[in-house]
Amino acid sequence: MPWDPNQYHKFQAQRSAPFYDLLALVEVRPNLKVVDLGCGTGELTRQLADALPGSDVTGIDSSPQMLEKAATYASSSLHFEKSDQSQLTGNWDLIFSNAALQWSENHAELIPNLYRNLTPGGQLTVQVPSNHNHISHQIIRETAGEEPFRTLLQGFVRYAPVLSIDQYAQVLFD
């Protein structure tokens, strides 16, 4: 699915608020190797890089349209790459993700895979929206199951890969 950067920016203030809450949880140290999973159009990744002095920050996203916008923020210490966040490799001092992990499947495997990419003392700082049981989402699923939508969607239903807070706690504990 192509992302539309203009539509993405429509609710920028509301979408950005959790980023700042998440950034406040980061233990700021100099010279970190950082990855921002689901960097979108790059504005917030630029702010992440600005908050981490001397750090090397890589923003990854799967959308060419978003990365095209993000490229305007690139610098010698901030780069952007097209990549699948669920296939992250490398060693990172900080793995940061604001509202992107919900687009990846199988969080019971995803979270341990991300954790394995942390350097000793590294930080996994993520925020995952959990609104799939909200009434608006229930109505969307119900409507998608009715004609003509069921036929148009060829029966497709996206399940939410987001775990409960207790399940995340257990995955991280394990």
Side-chain angles (χ1 to χ4, degrees):
M1 169 182 83
W3 283 83
D4 178 350
N6 295 322
Q7 185 68 19
Y8 181 75
H9 280 249
K10 196 172 189 176
F11 298 100
Q12 186 171 7
Q14 296 85 347
R15 192 179 38 74
S16 299
F19 167 86
Y20 295 108
D21 294 340
L22 193 60
L23 181 57
L25 297 174
V26 172
E27 180 186 339
V28 177
R29 301 185 310 246
N31 306 315
L32 297 173
K33 184 177 176 193
V34 178
V35 64
D36 181 10
L37 305 178
C39 65
T41 55
E43 294 94 350
L44 296 177
T45 309
R46 169 83 264 159
Q47 292 186 38
L48 176 65
D50 290 346
L52 302 170
S55 295
D56 183 46
V57 179
T58 300
I60 66 169
D61 207 287
S62 61
S63 168
Q65 295 86 356
M66 296 298 227
L67 290 168
E68 183 179 333
K69 290 277 189 183
T72 63
Y73 297 99
S75 69
S76 60
S77 62
L78 175 60
H79 354 281
F80 296 95
E81 300 175 2
K82 184 176 186 298
S83 184
D84 179 344
Q85 65 188 5
S86 69
Q87 303 300 312
L88 184 68
T89 59
N91 295 305
W92 304 93
D93 299 311
L94 172 62
I95 298 174
F96 186 95
S97 183
N98 175 53
L101 293 184
Q102 74 276 9
W103 299 112
S104 291
E105 305 297 329
N106 197 350
H107 286 206
E109 289 183 15
L110 174 65
I111 300 301
N113 286 340
L114 294 177
Y115 189 81
R116 282 190 282 277
N117 288 299
L118 287 173
T119 59
Q123 304 170 72
L124 177 62
T125 309
V126 301
Q127 182 273 113
V128 182
S130 181
N131 56 358
H132 52 277
N133 287 326
H134 186 273
I135 188 67
S136 63
H137 290 252
Q138 293 174 29
I139 291 169
I140 289 169
R141 286 190 299 273
E142 183 180 308
T143 303
E146 298 173 356
E147 290 301 340
F149 306 107
R150 181 176 45 232
T151 299
L152 289 169
L153 295 170
Q154 300 175 347
F156 173 79
V157 177
R158 183 175 192 273
Y159 79 96
V162 178
L163 304 175
S164 71
I165 192 70
D166 292 337
Q167 290 170 307
Y168 283 112
Q170 186 63 54
V171 166
L172 289 166
F173 178 79
D174 292 344

